[in-house]
Amino acid sequence: MLVHEGRVCLVNFLITVVVIFAIAIPEFSFEYNLQNWPVIFWSPILLFVIINIIIRIYYRGCSDYQIAVRACFLGYVFSMGVFIFFLAPEHIRTFGLYAAIMGTFHWTEYLGIALSNPKTLSTDSFVLNHSAHYLLAAFSSWVEFFLEAYFLPDIKTWRVFWISGFLLCFFGDFLRKIAMITAHTNFTHIVQYVRNEEHKLVTNGVYGWMRHPSYVGWFWWSIGTQIVLVNPFCIILYAIVSWMFFRDRVYVEEITLHNFFGLDYTEYQKRVGTGLPFIQGYKPGMPVPR
């Protein structure tokens, strides 16, 4: 059962998408011209502003506003991504697919927590402000994309890349959301250092195949976004940086899991790997970071 906050997120995302699609598409679908494609996006931008004003008025003085405005923004990102993918020049279209993937990922991050562990819900559950490094990585990928789209436009039209990247993103995001739902109340976006009464060791479902399916999903999703963009430098950069991040994250998290579950977790480690390439995790006797 989706809690109230989850419904607010779901409804405002879908309303934004439906309104933009219903009003903007008929306006230019029969007058599309490659020479004026940037101009046609003013209509969705204006609709986005109007929807935000309505949300501001409707949720005045209500905490739901912060959820609604983020869901609206992600709905706008998704919609614009679809428009760019189908209407922009061929060497720009993959950026639209990327935008739609990003909007969907962050929207479903919130919905995933709303379904699995609603007690921990907050605006941070959208993971939009994950870290300065996350934003810097995203910005660097945009810079590379548009520089290459300007100087080397042909490489952005290699469909085998954006198709394989899309499939990798879909697999990674799907795996992560399945992991959320399977872990249920045991899943949080923040590593827990204190065990609560509901905290249990989850070894069923996808956790029977890998110890950290949510990290595995995010790892491959992040690399997939750069394959979609056909960003050769960022594909390598994202793979290295993501691997280093999850290596450290798994190591720290498994220290707490050993503290929580002791021998049960040790036995679980013997049966199941982390799922991440060349990452073994923490085992008793290894040094503990300060």
Side-chain angles (χ1 to χ4, degrees):
M1 184 68 179
L2 197 60
V3 295
H4 170 74
E5 292 85 355
R7 292 195 295 272
V8 171
C9 174
L10 177 66
V11 168
N12 283 278
F13 178 93
L14 293 179
I15 286 177
T16 302
V17 172
V18 169
V19 169
I20 291 178
F21 276 36
I23 297 178
I25 288 181
E27 181 176 335
F28 56 74
S29 59
F30 298 106
E31 300 179 1
Y32 172 59
N33 188 316
L34 279 175
Q35 299 301 317
N36 66 2
W37 73 268
V39 178
I40 63 179
F41 293 111
W42 282 111
S43 177
I45 292 173
L46 179 60
L47 286 172
F48 174 68
V49 172
I50 293 173
I51 293 171
N52 267 270
I53 293 173
I54 294 172
I55 288 175
R56 182 81 177 186
I57 295 171
Y58 184 80
Y59 291 104
R60 180 184 299 173
C62 179
S63 60
D64 290 344
Y65 170 73
Q66 295 297 331
I67 303 170
V69 73
R70 285 166 173 78
C72 173
F73 169 72
L74 293 173
Y76 172 74
V77 170
F78 173 83
S79 301
M80 292 300 289
V82 173
F83 285 174
I84 292 171
F85 180 70
F86 285 105
L87 299 176
E90 190 173 2
H91 67 289
I92 299 294
R93 289 181 180 179
T94 54
F95 193 83
L97 181 59
Y98 163 83
I101 289 169
M102 292 292 286
T104 303
F105 175 80
H106 288 284
W107 174 55
T108 54
E109 279 292 292
Y110 189 91
L111 286 180
I113 295 296
L115 286 169
S116 62
N117 196 4
K119 290 181 180 179
T120 65
L121 265 180
S122 72
T123 53
D124 289 339
S125 299
F126 285 102
V127 201
L128 286 168
N129 55 341
H130 179 266
S131 67
H133 295 92
Y134 183 74
L135 296 176
L136 180 61
F139 181 74
S140 66
S141 72
W142 306 338
V143 171
E144 180 184 348
F145 176 84
F146 285 107
L147 283 175
E148 291 170 351
Y150 183 80
F151 292 106
L152 301 166
D154 288 346
I155 70 171
K156 301 301 181 183
T157 63
W158 295 348
R159 294 191 178 187
V160 65
F161 278 89
W162 65 256
I163 292 174
S164 58
F166 170 77
L167 293 174
L168 188 58
C169 286
F170 179 84
F171 161 77
D173 197 7
F174 181 75
L175 176 61
R176 181 169 170 81
K177 298 314 183 289
I178 290 296
M180 283 185 179
I181 296 171
T182 303
H184 197 45
T185 57
N186 297 279
F187 185 94
T188 61
H189 279 127
I190 300 173
V191 176
Q192 302 296 299
Y193 297 100
V194 178
R195 183 178 180 181
N196 59 53
E197 294 180 355
E198 297 180 350
H199 207 163
K200 298 179 180 178
L201 179 59
V202 181
T203 61
N204 63 298
V206 290
Y207 288 87
W209 306 338
M210 58 194 79
R211 298 202 302 270
H212 300 279
S214 66
Y215 294 162
V216 173
W218 199 346
F219 174 76
W220 291 114
W221 174 87
S222 68
I223 297 173
T225 61
Q226 299 312 298
I227 298 176
V228 164
L229 291 174
V230 198
N231 279 352
F233 293 108
C234 277
I235 290 172
I236 298 172
L237 179 64
Y238 269 55
I240 294 172
V241 173
S242 296
W243 184 88
M244 293 175 64
F245 171 80
F246 287 116
R247 177 199 60 186
D248 296 341
R249 182 70 174 255
V250 166
Y251 194 88
V252 171
E253 182 171 313
E254 291 202 332
I255 292 173
T256 65
L257 291 170
H258 273 286
N259 291 334
F260 290 174
F261 305 111
L263 290 176
D264 287 341
Y265 194 76
T266 302
E267 292 300 317
Y268 177 50
Q269 281 185 308
K270 292 178 181 178
R271 299 193 311 270
V272 181
T274 64
L276 291 158
F278 309 109
I279 295 178
Q280 301 300 316
Y282 172 83
K283 294 182 180 179
M286 289 183 172
V288 177
R290 297 180 179 179

